[in-house]
Amino acid sequence: MARRPKHDPRETEREILDAAERLLRERPFREISVDAVMSQTGLKRPAFYVHFRDRHDLALRVVENAGRTLFEMTDLWLRGEDPAADARRAFEGLVEVYVEHGTVLRALADAAASDEKVERAYNALVQRFIDATVRHIRDEQARGRIGELADVEQTARALIWMDERYLSEALGREPHADPQVVVDVLYNIWMSTLYSADTAVTSHRSAASQPAAGQ
């Protein structure tokens, strides 16, 4: 009798994570059990514990994966040389992630309010973005691109938590806001706060609809 081929551990882990994300799109974290997750896969319950300690550990891994994807987008701005163009590309990338995964990210944010383990992981993720923003602001100040701020760390904290709440509210539920409008709103707030009001722009569609000077 032929032996059943073994699952690739990476594929098994990915299948479980995908199942968790599907459930998080439909119900709050408190209603998600190991059995519920595994019922969405073609795997047996013991396979879950090969990769995760419990459902909390699973949620933390979903947070880590989401954070990795979001940070890849943010890195476009952090490592760029053109503040305006790089920031817009970064916000476009962030919005794309939220359009695809916004309901899951919102579910994790909601879970953080009532689950201590998820809260620690989620807050650590947000803090990573705050720390990176602080470093970038100070680098830009050293280059003379950003002037004096009331408090660099608190400015970064306010901007990042504003992003987190706004993106969750705008794109974490259906019907969601127009993604291009979300990009423009975030871009304007960040550019006006860190650089100058002259850097901020209205949405492409609004700008295109304005009559040319002299008309």
Side-chain angles (χ1 to χ4, degrees):
M1 181 176 178
R3 298 180 63 183
R4 182 180 177 181
K6 293 183 178 180
H7 288 283
D8 183 324
R10 291 170 298 182
E11 292 181 2
T12 299
E13 182 181 25
R14 183 70 260 168
E15 186 174 352
I16 296 171
L17 285 168
D18 288 344
E21 287 204 22
R22 286 196 300 274
L23 287 176
L24 284 168
R25 295 176 192 275
E26 303 168 358
R27 62 184 75 170
F29 174 72
R30 64 179 178 275
E31 296 180 6
I32 295 178
S33 65
V34 172
D35 285 338
V37 171
M38 297 310 289
S39 70
Q40 301 287 311
T41 72
L43 305 167
K44 301 295 185 182
R45 182 185 172 94
F48 179 92
Y49 296 100
V50 173
H51 302 280
F52 310 98
R53 291 189 300 275
D54 50 31
R55 70 191 188 99
H56 300 280
D57 190 37
L58 174 63
L60 302 188
R61 196 75 60 81
V62 174
V63 171
E64 290 173 3
N65 287 350
R68 189 178 304 112
T69 303
L70 290 170
F71 210 81
E72 287 174 1
M73 299 298 103
T74 305
D75 209 43
L76 294 173
W77 177 59
L78 297 175
R79 298 183 181 278
E81 292 296 328
D82 184 334
D86 295 330
R88 180 166 287 281
R89 284 197 297 272
F91 285 125
E92 288 171 346
L94 286 174
V95 167
E96 285 179 8
V97 173
Y98 264 85
V99 166
E100 184 175 357
H101 302 289
T103 52
V104 173
L105 291 165
R106 181 183 177 86
L108 292 170
D110 291 344
S114 58
D115 187 286
E116 185 178 348
K117 291 182 180 180
V118 178
E119 180 184 24
R120 285 199 301 267
Y122 194 80
N123 287 348
L125 170 63
V126 174
Q127 188 61 47
R128 181 184 176 193
F129 285 93
I130 293 171
D131 292 342
T133 300
V134 167
R135 290 193 297 271
H136 187 68
I137 290 174
R138 288 177 173 157
D139 286 344
E140 289 290 88
Q141 285 179 322
R143 295 177 179 182
R145 293 174 175 170
I146 295 178
E148 290 296 319
L149 299 172
D151 186 293
V152 171
E153 291 188 9
Q154 289 304 314
T155 297
R157 182 175 301 277
L159 288 170
I160 293 300
W161 277 112
M162 178 274 298
D163 281 7
E164 187 272 345
R165 282 292 83 193
Y166 176 58
L167 285 165
S168 181
E169 289 296 319
L171 301 173
R173 65 175 84 202
E174 294 292 343
H176 61 63
D178 182 334
Q180 185 57 59
V181 171
V182 174
V183 170
D184 290 333
V185 167
L186 291 175
Y187 177 83
N188 282 338
I189 291 172
W190 278 71
M191 292 298 100
S192 297
T193 300
L194 298 181
Y195 295 92
S196 72
D198 294 335
T199 311
V201 297
T202 55
S203 70
H204 295 308
R205 286 171 297 177
S206 296
S209 64
Q210 296 297 318
Q215 289 186 353

